[in-house]
Amino acid sequence: MASSSNIDEEGIEKKEEPTPLEKHVMFFDINKDGVIYPWETYKGFRKIGSGVLLSTVASIFINIGLSGKTRPGKWPSPLFPIEVKNIKFAKHSSDSDIYDTEGRFVLEKFEELFKKHGRTNANALTGEELDELLKANKQPKDFAGHIAAKSEWKILYLLCKDENGLLPKETIRSVYDGSLFEQMSKEKQSKKHRGKSSS
């Protein structure tokens, strides 16, 4: 039953705005049913320009790693679904804490990341600075959390670095507010259409 705080003046239940962390993963919910299956994760990675191998590995790794955490109290599923509404429970350790425990964006932590590590360029990270960031965030004996963080950042760097090997601050910001993947998908579609029109 909906709480009184979620009911408007006309007695209609208000739909809560998704958190930035939920928006971050909603792109991969292809059919928008609130559940992300491995084949949807795969399709999402393909839509943003990832190759078949990376998309396959990422979909297996992500869904196996996150499914159980987002389905508290439920039996494990062989289909490894991820429930979007519970994605906050899948927040791993050894991360930058730019999302808080509720999945909200913490601007201070985001700016702090660049103050600490953006030495070459105040508005971007180099590959070397990214490695330093991962090393600084790694918690003792936290192998799983470190691997998860490293995988996320390395894939982002691989797909989004510019011609100078820099990962722009605005690109990283758009990861956290949930808009990057839609932008990348639209850019890929635009390039595909331009390629067809020129051939």
Side-chain angles (χ1 to χ4, degrees):
M1 185 176 178
S3 65
S4 58
S5 61
N6 289 332
I7 304 294
D8 66 16
E9 294 177 356
E10 297 178 357
I12 299 172
E13 184 176 353
K14 295 183 289 185
K15 191 172 182 180
E16 288 187 15
E17 178 73 14
T19 66
L21 181 54
E22 289 169 354
K23 290 178 181 177
H24 173 73
V25 301
M26 284 169 68
F27 170 79
F28 296 93
D29 182 12
I30 303 298
N31 62 0
K32 306 305 176 189
D33 65 350
V35 181
I36 304 169
Y37 290 95
W39 51 90
E40 292 181 288
T41 306
Y42 173 85
K43 288 178 182 177
F45 270 91
R46 294 291 286 148
K47 283 172 70 176
I48 60 176
S50 299
V52 171
L53 180 59
L54 175 58
S55 300
T56 301
V57 172
S59 62
I60 294 170
F61 178 77
I62 290 171
N63 280 75
I64 290 177
L66 303 187
S67 179
K69 295 176 182 177
T70 65
R71 304 175 73 248
K74 296 182 180 179
W75 286 97
S77 169
L79 298 179
F80 298 107
I82 296 170
E83 295 189 8
V84 174
K85 66 180 181 180
N86 292 328
I87 194 64
K88 65 183 180 182
F89 299 131
K91 187 175 177 291
H92 58 77
S93 49
S94 290
D95 73 353
S96 53
D97 289 327
I98 292 174
Y99 288 127
D100 68 11
T101 55
E102 293 298 314
R104 295 170 298 214
F105 177 77
V106 183
L107 180 60
E108 294 81 6
K109 289 286 186 181
F110 180 75
E111 294 296 342
E112 185 181 299
L113 185 153
F114 286 90
K115 288 176 183 176
K116 282 185 177 180
H117 303 285
R119 295 188 304 277
T120 305
N121 186 317
N123 293 308
L125 293 176
T126 65
E128 185 177 322
E129 288 165 349
L130 183 55
D131 288 336
E132 291 172 1
L133 162 67
L134 290 166
K135 187 176 180 180
N137 287 345
K138 184 180 179 182
Q139 296 176 7
K141 299 180 181 178
D142 181 32
F143 179 75
H146 178 63
I147 290 297
K150 189 171 184 177
S151 299
E152 291 166 357
W153 280 103
K154 289 294 185 179
I155 290 173
L156 178 63
Y157 184 78
L158 175 68
L159 295 176
C160 298
K161 65 181 178 181
D162 64 18
E163 64 274 10
N164 298 313
L166 296 172
L167 185 59
K169 182 177 183 178
E170 282 308 306
T171 299
I172 298 173
R173 173 69 186 259
S174 65
V175 173
Y176 286 104
D177 68 23
S179 64
L180 176 66
F181 300 135
E182 288 291 350
Q183 292 171 20
M184 292 174 71
S185 179
K186 288 175 183 175
E187 286 172 9
K188 189 190 175 194
Q189 286 297 318
S190 178
K191 287 179 183 177
K192 188 183 291 185
H193 290 315
R194 285 201 300 269
K196 286 181 179 178
S197 61
S198 62
S199 60

